[in-house]
Structures are given as C-alpha cells and as structure tokens.
Amino acid sequence: MESARVAGFGTSIFSEFSRLAVQHGAVNLGQGFPDFDGPKEIAQAAIDAINGGVNQYAVGQGAPQLRAAIAAHAKRFYGQVLDPATEIGVTSGATEAIFDAVLALTNPGDEVVLFEPFYDSYLASVQMAHAVPRFVRLRAPDVTHAQWWLDDAELAAAFTSKTKLVIINTPHNPTGKLFTRAELERIGELTRRAGAVLLSDEVYEHLVFDDGKHVRPATLPGFSDFTLTVSSGGKSFSFTGWKVGWHLGRRELVAAVQKAHQWVTFCSAAPFQAAIGKALELPDSYFQGFVESYTQKRGFLSAALTKAGFEVLPCAGTYFLMARTDRHRKAGEDDVAFCRRLLVDHGIAAIPPSVFYSPEHASHVHGMARFAFCKTQPVLDAAADRLAKL
Ligand SMILES: Cc1ncc(COP(=O)(O)O)c(C=O)c1O
C-alpha cells in the first residue's frame, strides 16, 4: 500500500524514546525542544492576533509584516540587506523550507551533499525527492582537533558533476559545532565550482556561547549568489510548536522554493506569523538574556555529566551536549542500546546520535549520547540527581 518514497522510513527513535520516557517516568533530555514557554508578550501577541481577526490564510509568501521583520533582523544581526518583496519567503518551520528547497532545486538522480551527523529531515527530504545523498563526515574531536572537523579530501570527493545542493547546519545539531569561516569558504568554493546551491540551516543562530561568532555563510564574499539561508522562530523564541520558518536569498532561489511551498502548505499559520514578527523585533537585551540563560544550563548539565563520568565534548552553540559514554557502556553495546538502558534502568532519556548518520557510518558515534539542556532547572536538577547515582 505504501509508496516506495515512504516505505523505508519506519518509526523514528524520537517517538520510541518519548514513549519509553513517559512509561518509565524518565527525566527527558532527549527531546530537542524547551519544556518552558517563550516570552509572555510574544504569546500575548499571538492571542491578540487571533482575537484581532488574523485567522484566515496569510499571503502565501509570508505576511508582509513578518517579512519586513525578518529583513530588519537580518540587517541588525548580519548587516544583510534584503528586499522583503522578493528575497524572503515564509514556511511552516525550517523543516518545510528545507523540504521545499530540496524539491525545488534538485531533479531525481541529482546529488545532495550532507554532513554527518545531519538533522534527520535532510535525508528524508532528499529521499522523497528521489535525489541522491552524498555524505561527508564531521569527525569527532581528537588529540589533534579541539573541535569536530572535516577531512578535506573526503569533502572534495563528495562533489561530482551531479551535485546540485549542499546542506549545512551552523550552529550544528547535535555536535554544537560552529563552522569556521575557513571551513565555510572551502565548502563555498566547492559549491560554486559545482554550480550547486548551498542551503544553510541556521535555526540555532542565537544560541552561540562564550563570545563565539556565528558566521552566516550568505554574508561571505561572493556567497549570496548561491546561498539560501534557512531559519525559524522555534528555537530562538522557545515556541517550537508554532512552526514559523523562513528562507532568504537571491530572488530566483526564493522564487523556486516558493513554487514548491505554494503546493506543500501554501502558507504558515497566520496568527503565529504575526507574533514571530514581533519576536524578531525584541531588543538586543532579549537575545543576550537568552544566551546567558542557556550558558548557565549548559554549564550545569556539563558539570553533572562530567561528575558522573561522561566525557563532555565542547559545545559552542545549540542546546545539545554530546558526551562520550565509554565509562558506562557495556561491552558490545552501541549507542542505541546504551541510551535505551540509560532510560529504562536509570530514568534518563538521551538520544543515540547514530540516528543522525547513514547506516554505513553510524558506528562512528556508537560511543556517544546527545543530551539536551533546553530544560527548566528542576528538570536539570532531577537529571543531575539521577546521573550522580549511575
Ligand atoms: C538543525 C535543525 N534544523 C531544523 C529544525 C526544525 O526547525 P523547525 O521546527 O523550524 O521546522 C531543527 C529542530 O530540531 C533542527 O535541529
């Protein structure tokens, strides 16, 4: 009955772990969304929009007020100058923008370069479009590399005459890596040479720690010709359920993505567009407070994991910590088995990172687990208590 397009998908590990977490009363550090709401005045803006009659289809490309706010935000944080009429489109979350972009920019058989570990919707989108993924591994920190890193020969070999799209994510889920300017320039050079498009998923753009700098690829010299930037309001404003996303770039790229969007969802939820437009206009103090609060959460969970014997890898951005689990892993246990046991026997839910890899390369992270710290202090306290008993 199912089409070949979806037959391979199965149930995601996230559903299984969410179900097990409820069943075992686990502290849930698996799910990548906050267990608290965003700013009250932004929630109120959505309520006001509903009460004020913003309840019918929005303009397909995105409410003009929201597009104006996205343009102002891009100018404020990155110095980008964008025409809201032609260079910005709104979708139902970043996920839809990515799916639309893959549909709009690849033909069946075209190749898409993905960096492992990748956000899982990338591969599903590529598969549904009958395009072909080409994987490049981010390699874990080691004695000579303080951060996750790329092997240049492997990177270059992933590009062929069929490459049409390259999808990067910075700040990067699940590793917490910020791509450096040098890495982005190299990826850009290869993308340009292949005549492909670089899709840059920046949903964690405001979660950057320790005075680190998020480099928006589209702002590097020459990149605006071939780069489509994707982001959304979910992570930056702690309203992941609202699913307001957007894409920006050269008008031809945005128009192509909008062609798919008009038949995928047509428009994103109107009242939430109004509220996210207000959120993007929040003062700098909001964004500073946001980073401070997450810096505290990162420090707390990192200390608790370290004390419990995990080796926590550096996290420069996002709200995830990757940790090596060797001290607690039983012989022969992979990350899925380890995380299942951590949940069932110890009441702590974490995500096995091999779900962000192709099956061929999954063993690269069998000794790791991903812990989310987008949680309230009582939940982090409970996690620390349980970790201390390991
Ligand atoms: C890297 C990355 N991109 C995109 C998304 C989804 O964004 P949205 O909720 O706006 O669709 C997520 C959510 O976890 C993510 O981690």
PDB file of all heavy atoms in Angstrom, residues 51-74:
ATOM      1  N   ASN A  51      -7.526  37.138  18.457  1.00  0.00           N
ATOM      2  CA  ASN A  51      -8.694  37.947  18.853  1.00  0.00           C
ATOM      3  C   ASN A  51      -8.928  39.115  17.900  1.00  0.00           C
ATOM      4  O   ASN A  51     -10.051  39.592  17.766  1.00  0.00           O
ATOM      5  CB  ASN A  51      -8.531  38.457  20.286  1.00  0.00           C
ATOM      6  CG  ASN A  51      -8.680  37.324  21.295  1.00  0.00           C
ATOM      7  OD1 ASN A  51      -9.342  36.323  20.997  1.00  0.00           O
ATOM      8  ND2 ASN A  51      -8.061  37.457  22.454  1.00  0.00           N
ATOM      9  N   GLY A  52      -7.851  39.534  17.244  1.00  0.00           N
ATOM     10  CA  GLY A  52      -7.966  40.674  16.324  1.00  0.00           C
ATOM     11  C   GLY A  52      -8.325  40.256  14.904  1.00  0.00           C
ATOM     12  O   GLY A  52      -8.300  41.087  13.994  1.00  0.00           O
ATOM     13  N   GLY A  53      -8.603  38.984  14.703  1.00  0.00           N
ATOM     14  CA  GLY A  53      -9.101  38.557  13.390  1.00  0.00           C
ATOM     15  C   GLY A  53      -8.045  38.130  12.386  1.00  0.00           C
ATOM     16  O   GLY A  53      -8.333  38.033  11.196  1.00  0.00           O
ATOM     17  N   VAL A  54      -6.810  37.851  12.869  1.00  0.00           N
ATOM     18  CA  VAL A  54      -5.786  37.361  11.927  1.00  0.00           C
ATOM     19  C   VAL A  54      -5.926  35.835  11.851  1.00  0.00           C
ATOM     20  O   VAL A  54      -5.101  35.091  12.389  1.00  0.00           O
ATOM     21  CB  VAL A  54      -4.369  37.777  12.396  1.00  0.00           C
ATOM     22  CG1 VAL A  54      -3.304  37.400  11.346  1.00  0.00           C
ATOM     23  CG2 VAL A  54      -4.302  39.264  12.666  1.00  0.00           C
ATOM     24  N   ASN A  55      -6.999  35.383  11.232  1.00  0.00           N
ATOM     25  CA  ASN A  55      -7.331  33.956  11.301  1.00  0.00           C
ATOM     26  C   ASN A  55      -7.559  33.291   9.955  1.00  0.00           C
ATOM     27  O   ASN A  55      -7.916  32.113   9.909  1.00  0.00           O
ATOM     28  CB  ASN A  55      -8.578  33.776  12.180  1.00  0.00           C
ATOM     29  CG  ASN A  55      -8.304  34.210  13.602  1.00  0.00           C
ATOM     30  OD1 ASN A  55      -7.346  33.752  14.221  1.00  0.00           O
ATOM     31  ND2 ASN A  55      -9.098  35.153  14.109  1.00  0.00           N
ATOM     32  N   GLN A  56      -7.364  34.029   8.889  1.00  0.00           N
ATOM     33  CA  GLN A  56      -7.549  33.419   7.565  1.00  0.00           C
ATOM     34  C   GLN A  56      -6.174  33.217   6.934  1.00  0.00           C
ATOM     35  O   GLN A  56      -5.164  33.639   7.487  1.00  0.00           O
ATOM     36  CB  GLN A  56      -8.451  34.310   6.700  1.00  0.00           C
ATOM     37  CG  GLN A  56      -9.759  34.729   7.380  1.00  0.00           C
ATOM     38  CD  GLN A  56     -10.564  33.549   7.958  1.00  0.00           C
ATOM     39  OE1 GLN A  56     -10.515  32.439   7.439  1.00  0.00           O
ATOM     40  NE2 GLN A  56     -11.284  33.796   9.055  1.00  0.00           N
ATOM     41  N   TYR A  57      -6.170  32.554   5.780  1.00  0.00           N
ATOM     42  CA  TYR A  57      -4.908  32.311   5.093  1.00  0.00           C
ATOM     43  C   TYR A  57      -4.061  33.579   5.044  1.00  0.00           C
ATOM     44  O   TYR A  57      -4.575  34.654   4.721  1.00  0.00           O
ATOM     45  CB  TYR A  57      -5.141  31.875   3.646  1.00  0.00           C
ATOM     46  CG  TYR A  57      -5.839  30.548   3.488  1.00  0.00           C
ATOM     47  CD1 TYR A  57      -6.947  30.428   2.654  1.00  0.00           C
ATOM     48  CD2 TYR A  57      -5.382  29.412   4.149  1.00  0.00           C
ATOM     49  CE1 TYR A  57      -7.584  29.210   2.485  1.00  0.00           C
ATOM     50  CE2 TYR A  57      -6.023  28.187   3.976  1.00  0.00           C
ATOM     51  CZ  TYR A  57      -7.120  28.093   3.150  1.00  0.00           C
ATOM     52  OH  TYR A  57      -7.736  26.890   2.983  1.00  0.00           O
ATOM     53  N   ALA A  58      -2.783  33.405   5.343  1.00  0.00           N
ATOM     54  CA  ALA A  58      -1.855  34.539   5.167  1.00  0.00           C
ATOM     55  C   ALA A  58      -1.449  34.599   3.691  1.00  0.00           C
ATOM     56  O   ALA A  58      -1.701  33.655   2.931  1.00  0.00           O
ATOM     57  CB  ALA A  58      -0.614  34.311   6.024  1.00  0.00           C
ATOM     58  N   VAL A  59      -0.816  35.669   3.299  1.00  0.00           N
ATOM     59  CA  VAL A  59      -0.200  35.729   1.970  1.00  0.00           C
ATOM     60  C   VAL A  59       0.740  34.521   1.870  1.00  0.00           C
ATOM     61  O   VAL A  59       1.499  34.251   2.806  1.00  0.00           O
ATOM     62  CB  VAL A  59       0.614  37.045   1.825  1.00  0.00           C
ATOM     63  CG1 VAL A  59       1.376  37.078   0.510  1.00  0.00           C
ATOM     64  CG2 VAL A  59      -0.305  38.248   1.969  1.00  0.00           C
ATOM     65  N   GLY A  60       0.689  33.793   0.783  1.00  0.00           N
ATOM     66  CA  GLY A  60       1.469  32.556   0.676  1.00  0.00           C
ATOM     67  C   GLY A  60       2.951  32.753   0.959  1.00  0.00           C
ATOM     68  O   GLY A  60       3.578  31.949   1.658  1.00  0.00           O
ATOM     69  N   GLN A  61       3.515  33.808   0.452  1.00  0.00           N
ATOM     70  CA  GLN A  61       4.957  34.043   0.615  1.00  0.00           C
ATOM     71  C   GLN A  61       5.317  34.464   2.035  1.00  0.00           C
ATOM     72  O   GLN A  61       6.495  34.494   2.408  1.00  0.00           O
ATOM     73  CB  GLN A  61       5.394  35.129  -0.384  1.00  0.00           C
ATOM     74  CG  GLN A  61       6.896  35.215  -0.545  1.00  0.00           C
ATOM     75  CD  GLN A  61       7.302  36.420  -1.373  1.00  0.00           C
ATOM     76  OE1 GLN A  61       6.543  36.877  -2.237  1.00  0.00           O
ATOM     77  NE2 GLN A  61       8.481  36.942  -1.103  1.00  0.00           N
ATOM     78  N   GLY A  62       4.288  34.762   2.831  1.00  0.00           N
ATOM     79  CA  GLY A  62       4.542  35.207   4.200  1.00  0.00           C
ATOM     80  C   GLY A  62       3.911  36.569   4.425  1.00  0.00           C
ATOM     81  O   GLY A  62       3.906  37.405   3.508  1.00  0.00           O
ATOM     82  N   ALA A  63       3.372  36.769   5.632  1.00  0.00           N
ATOM     83  CA  ALA A  63       2.736  38.052   5.950  1.00  0.00           C
ATOM     84  C   ALA A  63       3.747  39.172   5.725  1.00  0.00           C
ATOM     85  O   ALA A  63       4.906  39.050   6.161  1.00  0.00           O
ATOM     86  CB  ALA A  63       2.261  38.042   7.398  1.00  0.00           C
ATOM     87  N   PRO A  64       3.346  40.254   5.057  1.00  0.00           N
ATOM     88  CA  PRO A  64       4.297  41.342   4.778  1.00  0.00           C
ATOM     89  C   PRO A  64       4.990  41.858   6.042  1.00  0.00           C
ATOM     90  O   PRO A  64       6.195  42.128   6.015  1.00  0.00           O
ATOM     91  CB  PRO A  64       3.420  42.415   4.138  1.00  0.00           C
ATOM     92  CG  PRO A  64       2.287  41.645   3.513  1.00  0.00           C
ATOM     93  CD  PRO A  64       2.049  40.466   4.414  1.00  0.00           C
ATOM     94  N   GLN A  65       4.244  41.946   7.161  1.00  0.00           N
ATOM     95  CA  GLN A  65       4.876  42.441   8.398  1.00  0.00           C
ATOM     96  C   GLN A  65       5.986  41.496   8.852  1.00  0.00           C
ATOM     97  O   GLN A  65       7.020  41.931   9.345  1.00  0.00           O
ATOM     98  CB  GLN A  65       3.862  42.560   9.553  1.00  0.00           C
ATOM     99  CG  GLN A  65       2.722  43.503   9.308  1.00  0.00           C
ATOM    100  CD  GLN A  65       1.541  42.832   8.578  1.00  0.00           C
ATOM    101  OE1 GLN A  65       1.716  41.915   7.774  1.00  0.00           O
ATOM    102  NE2 GLN A  65       0.341  43.311   8.852  1.00  0.00           N
ATOM    103  N   LEU A  66       5.733  40.204   8.731  1.00  0.00           N
ATOM    104  CA  LEU A  66       6.769  39.252   9.153  1.00  0.00           C
ATOM    105  C   LEU A  66       7.976  39.341   8.220  1.00  0.00           C
ATOM    106  O   LEU A  66       9.126  39.359   8.675  1.00  0.00           O
ATOM    107  CB  LEU A  66       6.211  37.820   9.168  1.00  0.00           C
ATOM    108  CG  LEU A  66       7.248  36.715   9.432  1.00  0.00           C
ATOM    109  CD1 LEU A  66       7.968  36.934  10.764  1.00  0.00           C
ATOM    110  CD2 LEU A  66       6.591  35.330   9.409  1.00  0.00           C
ATOM    111  N   ARG A  67       7.734  39.428   6.935  1.00  0.00           N
ATOM    112  CA  ARG A  67       8.882  39.522   6.011  1.00  0.00           C
ATOM    113  C   ARG A  67       9.691  40.793   6.276  1.00  0.00           C
ATOM    114  O   ARG A  67      10.920  40.774   6.226  1.00  0.00           O
ATOM    115  CB  ARG A  67       8.405  39.452   4.562  1.00  0.00           C
ATOM    116  CG  ARG A  67       8.210  37.998   4.121  1.00  0.00           C
ATOM    117  CD  ARG A  67       7.852  37.902   2.664  1.00  0.00           C
ATOM    118  NE  ARG A  67       6.455  38.204   2.447  1.00  0.00           N
ATOM    119  CZ  ARG A  67       5.962  38.889   1.415  1.00  0.00           C
ATOM    120  NH1 ARG A  67       6.790  39.360   0.504  1.00  0.00           N
ATOM    121  NH2 ARG A  67       4.670  39.101   1.297  1.00  0.00           N
ATOM    122  N   ALA A  68       8.993  41.869   6.613  1.00  0.00           N
ATOM    123  CA  ALA A  68       9.719  43.115   6.934  1.00  0.00           C
ATOM    124  C   ALA A  68      10.547  42.907   8.205  1.00  0.00           C
ATOM    125  O   ALA A  68      11.701  43.361   8.300  1.00  0.00           O
ATOM    126  CB  ALA A  68       8.726  44.260   7.116  1.00  0.00           C
ATOM    127  N   ALA A  69       9.978  42.196   9.177  1.00  0.00           N
ATOM    128  CA  ALA A  69      10.705  41.957  10.436  1.00  0.00           C
ATOM    129  C   ALA A  69      11.906  41.037  10.206  1.00  0.00           C
ATOM    130  O   ALA A  69      12.976  41.216  10.811  1.00  0.00           O
ATOM    131  CB  ALA A  69       9.761  41.343  11.477  1.00  0.00           C
ATOM    132  N   ILE A  70      11.758  40.047   9.324  1.00  0.00           N
ATOM    133  CA  ILE A  70      12.881  39.143   9.004  1.00  0.00           C
ATOM    134  C   ILE A  70      14.008  39.944   8.344  1.00  0.00           C
ATOM    135  O   ILE A  70      15.192  39.777   8.669  1.00  0.00           O
ATOM    136  CB  ILE A  70      12.409  37.987   8.083  1.00  0.00           C
ATOM    137  CG1 ILE A  70      11.434  37.071   8.844  1.00  0.00           C
ATOM    138  CG2 ILE A  70      13.594  37.187   7.544  1.00  0.00           C
ATOM    139  CD1 ILE A  70      10.668  36.086   7.964  1.00  0.00           C
ATOM    140  N   ALA A  71      13.631  40.852   7.440  1.00  0.00           N
ATOM    141  CA  ALA A  71      14.641  41.684   6.763  1.00  0.00           C
ATOM    142  C   ALA A  71      15.357  42.573   7.782  1.00  0.00           C
ATOM    143  O   ALA A  71      16.591  42.684   7.768  1.00  0.00           O
ATOM    144  CB  ALA A  71      13.983  42.535   5.680  1.00  0.00           C
ATOM    145  N   ALA A  72      14.599  43.177   8.703  1.00  0.00           N
ATOM    146  CA  ALA A  72      15.211  44.074   9.694  1.00  0.00           C
ATOM    147  C   ALA A  72      16.142  43.286  10.625  1.00  0.00           C
ATOM    148  O   ALA A  72      17.219  43.758  11.008  1.00  0.00           O
ATOM    149  CB  ALA A  72      14.114  44.781  10.496  1.00  0.00           C
ATOM    150  N   HIS A  73      15.728  42.078  10.978  1.00  0.00           N
ATOM    151  CA  HIS A  73      16.544  41.221  11.846  1.00  0.00           C
ATOM    152  C   HIS A  73      17.853  40.835  11.132  1.00  0.00           C
ATOM    153  O   HIS A  73      18.940  40.865  11.732  1.00  0.00           O
ATOM    154  CB  HIS A  73      15.713  39.984  12.207  1.00  0.00           C
ATOM    155  CG  HIS A  73      16.450  38.914  12.949  1.00  0.00           C
ATOM    156  ND1 HIS A  73      17.134  37.903  12.312  1.00  0.00           N
ATOM    157  CD2 HIS A  73      16.618  38.686  14.275  1.00  0.00           C
ATOM    158  CE1 HIS A  73      17.684  37.107  13.207  1.00  0.00           C
ATOM    159  NE2 HIS A  73      17.385  37.555  14.409  1.00  0.00           N
ATOM    160  N   ALA A  74      17.763  40.503   9.848  1.00  0.00           N
ATOM    161  CA  ALA A  74      18.973  40.123   9.091  1.00  0.00           C
ATOM    162  C   ALA A  74      19.926  41.311   8.980  1.00  0.00           C
ATOM    163  O   ALA A  74      21.152  41.151   9.012  1.00  0.00           O
ATOM    164  CB  ALA A  74      18.584  39.601   7.705  1.00  0.00           C
TER     165      ALA A  74
END
